[in-house]
Amino acid sequence: DDVGSYTFTINVSDGTNTASQTVAIEVLNKNDKPVIVSGDPAEEVNEDEEYSYKIEATDADPDQSLTYKAIVKPDWLSFSTISRKLKGTPTNDDAGKSYDVLLAVYDGIDSTLLGYGITVNAINDAPEITSTPTFTNIKEGESYLYELTALDVDDEQLVFNAIGLPSWLTFS
């Protein structure tokens, strides 16, 4: 950095006589933008898994405080200006979608931006049994009926089976 005071002398001569001039120059500091040093953020996350990125920056100018802000982010992410962390967990509803993120670091004069995208990968979720047996005690010789229902949030075809049925009970 060339900031500071400089003094130098210029001479000119005609071969016999010399003239001199002293020049003083003051080079003033120009604000340097913050530099993001935290590396590249992950651009993919699986649904139901936490995403986290901590932004870090430096500034060559002494005595300048840095302020961090998330300008654009999906609703499932939160940003802490204290910890400088962007974090959150996307749900099944976010799977297969891409989201824009724009973070800023401000030194009081200039900003540096970090923009990128996050894609949420779909992960196969286990189906959920949504029915409950209406009764579990029956008398010998009476019929038993249980309508099993299940839900798959990924809308995949479900296959039902039963293991360990007594010989008098059928499953269909």
Side-chain angles (χ1 to χ4, degrees), residues 31-37 55-59 66-69 71 102-115:
N31 186 60
D32 295 301
K33 284 185 168 189
V35 175
I36 296 172
V37 296
I55 186 168
E56 294 186 29
T58 61
D59 195 310
L66 299 179
T67 304
Y68 298 82
K69 183 175 183 182
I71 298 170
L102 184 60
L103 304 177
V105 182
Y106 181 63
D107 67 5
I109 299 170
D110 288 314
S111 292
T112 299
L113 302 176
L114 173 64

Side-chain angles (χ1 to χ4, degrees), residues 36-48:
I36 296 172
V37 296
S38 48
D40 294 331
E43 295 184 358
E44 286 187 24
V45 63
N46 294 333
E47 68 175 80
D48 300 325

Side-chain angles (χ1 to χ4, degrees), residues 112-141:
T112 299
L113 302 176
L114 173 64
Y116 64 100
I118 301 174
T119 300
V120 179
N121 299 320
I123 301 300
N124 187 12
D125 293 299
E128 176 186 352
I129 296 174
T130 56
S131 58
T132 303
T134 53
F135 57 93
T136 56
N137 295 317
I138 59 169
K139 292 181 182 175
E140 184 177 7

